[in-house]
Amino acid sequence: EVQLVQSGGEVKKPGESLKISCKGSGYNFSNYWIGWVRQMPGKGLEWMGIIHPGGSQTRYSPSFQGQVIISADKSMSTAYLQWSSLKASDTAMYYCARRGPGDHGGSDYWGQGALVTVSS
Amino acid sequence: DIQMTQSPSSLSASVGDRVTITCRASHSITTYLNWYQQKPGKAPNLLIYAASSLQSGVPSRFSGSGSGTDFTLTISSLQPEDFATFYCQQSYSGYTFGQGTKLEIK
């Protein structure tokens, strides 16, 4: 069974750093792109970026380029999303999602989400 | 950037109704269009990919159509479990979501 399991919720102060994780199982983690999606409280979905764990190719949405870093460790079957200096506006639910097979593939499996709260 | 615009933003309907949600892209995306359903407190769930292909396990009352810039998601006969928020997403150039359509019980 394909699963993406994310790390737990975090409460941080502005200016702190953070790295959250997304561990895949039940499939060849190296072969499928993993994307990250932000959902601010009461708002819609925003695509942040995507990584191919096999080759570490990474693409970012222009809105998030330079704001976060996406990485992956294929030996651990884990993708990461990190911030060097959090802001209150980073408070949101963050989802990882696997890009499905095929050229048109939507995101067929999602993590359970990780709630990040940034508050002084 | 490709912008995605959904309409309506919200919709009230009754069990058994036929419902259609529209998504328009700012540029042609051929059929690189996906639809998701999200229930409160849950991760999104893929319903339709490549504009009209039904994801495995999704009930056949859900269908998608369109190409180029104009797309629709249709639910043929609403069931109680269908009330949720729906998002379109283009995967032609990067990925962009529409703003969402909240489907509520009338």
Side-chain angles (χ1 to χ4, degrees):
Chain A
E1 179 194 7
V2 173
Q3 283 192 303
L4 295 175
V5 178
Q6 297 185 231
S7 49
E10 301 272 0
V11 179
K12 292 288 191 179
K13 290 181 166 47
E16 291 186 331
S17 62
L18 176 65
K19 191 173 189 177
I20 62 175
S21 66
C22 170
K23 184 173 176 61
S25 62
Y27 72 102
N28 190 333
F29 186 78
S30 295
N31 288 355
Y32 291 81
W33 294 81
I34 293 284
W36 288 93
V37 175
R38 182 175 80 174
Q39 188 166 39
M40 299 176 77
K43 301 299 184 182
L45 305 173
E46 300 174 89
W47 184 77
M48 302 176 71
I50 197 166
I51 188 166
H52 193 279
S56 291
Q57 301 100 307
T58 310
R59 301 194 183 23
Y60 293 90
S61 161
S63 300
F64 292 93
Q65 179 84 47
Q67 308 304 307
V68 296
I69 296 173
I70 294 171
S71 60
D73 181 343
K74 62 184 179 183
S75 70
M76 299 288 289
S77 297
T78 301
Y80 302 95
L81 177 66
Q82 66 181 91
W83 296 260
S84 59
S85 181
L86 286 161
K87 302 185 277 289
S89 57
D90 293 318
T91 294
M93 182 72 80
Y94 293 88
Y95 294 101
C96 63
R98 188 186 86 160
R99 187 189 188 278
D103 188 37
H104 291 76
S107 296
D108 59 353
Y109 288 91
W110 292 67
Q112 80 278 19
L115 181 62
V116 173
T117 303
V118 184
S119 175
S120 55
Chain B
D1 283 15
I2 297 176
Q3 308 302 318
M4 306 300 293
T5 304
Q6 288 181 232
S7 60
S9 295
S10 63
L11 175 60
S12 294
S14 301
V15 173
D17 283 354
R18 180 183 180 88
V19 166
T20 297
I21 298 169
T22 296
C23 180
R24 175 165 288 176
S26 59
H27 302 87
S28 175
I29 56 172
T30 64
T31 57
Y32 285 76
L33 192 283
N34 310 303
W35 289 98
Y36 300 87
Q37 178 189 49
Q38 186 181 31
K39 296 181 180 179
K42 300 293 188 183
N45 181 50
L46 179 65
L47 300 174
I48 302 286
Y49 64 93
S52 60
S53 296
L54 191 68
Q55 175 68 4
S56 176
V58 174
S60 59
R61 62 181 179 272
F62 291 94
S63 64
S65 65
S67 67
T69 60
D70 294 314
F71 302 86
T72 58
L73 172 71
T74 299
I75 310 172
S76 60
S77 178
L78 273 174
Q79 299 302 300
E81 61 269 27
D82 297 339
F83 292 92
T85 300
F86 294 85
Y87 295 92
C88 63
Q89 178 204 42
Q90 67 83 17
S91 52
Y92 179 82
S93 176
Y95 299 80
T96 315
F97 289 99
Q99 81 278 15
T101 296
K102 187 172 184 178
L103 177 57
E104 298 174 305
I105 301 173
K106 185 183 286 185

